[in-house]
């Protein structure tokens, strides 16, 4: 089972869809690394990157 994961170019949300389910932005297969945010109110990374919802986010999207 190898699903190709994509990352949103706008909000960095990681998804399998070609359009981001969060912001409807374009997604890309060219991305590197990700963080899983379980509780964005307690996550230092989330605050730094500006993540305002829980989920999986790419660190770098091309
Ligand atoms: Zn998005």
């Amino acid at each position: 089972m190898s699903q190709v994961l994509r990352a949103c170019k706008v909000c960095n949300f990681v998804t399998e869809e070609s359009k981001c389910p969060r912001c409807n932005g374009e997604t890309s297969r060219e991305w590197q690394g990700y963080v899983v945010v379980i509780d964005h109110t307690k996550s230092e990374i989330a605050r730094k990157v500006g993540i305002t919802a829980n989920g999986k986010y790419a660190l770098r999207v091309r």
Side-chain angles (χ1 to χ4, degrees):
M1 214 180 103
S2 63
Q3 282 277 20
V4 179
L5 286 176
R6 311 171 66 96
C8 177
K9 289 179 179 177
V10 182
C11 69
N12 287 21
F13 188 73
V14 172
T15 177
E16 285 158 12
E17 313 292 325
S18 56
K19 287 258 179 187
C20 175
R22 280 196 64 212
C23 71
N24 214 31
E26 204 187 322
T27 60
S28 168
R29 286 168 66 173
E30 304 286 311
W31 58 276
Q32 287 180 319
Y34 66 81
V35 287
V36 178
V37 177
I38 294 155
D39 186 347
H40 70 90
T41 59
K42 286 177 185 161
S43 168
E44 195 125 324
I45 301 163
R47 207 179 315 140
K48 246 182 227 173
V49 186
I51 291 167
T52 54
N54 300 334
K56 208 190 259 187
Y57 295 86
L59 293 176
R60 226 170 276 157
V61 185
R62 270 183 289 170

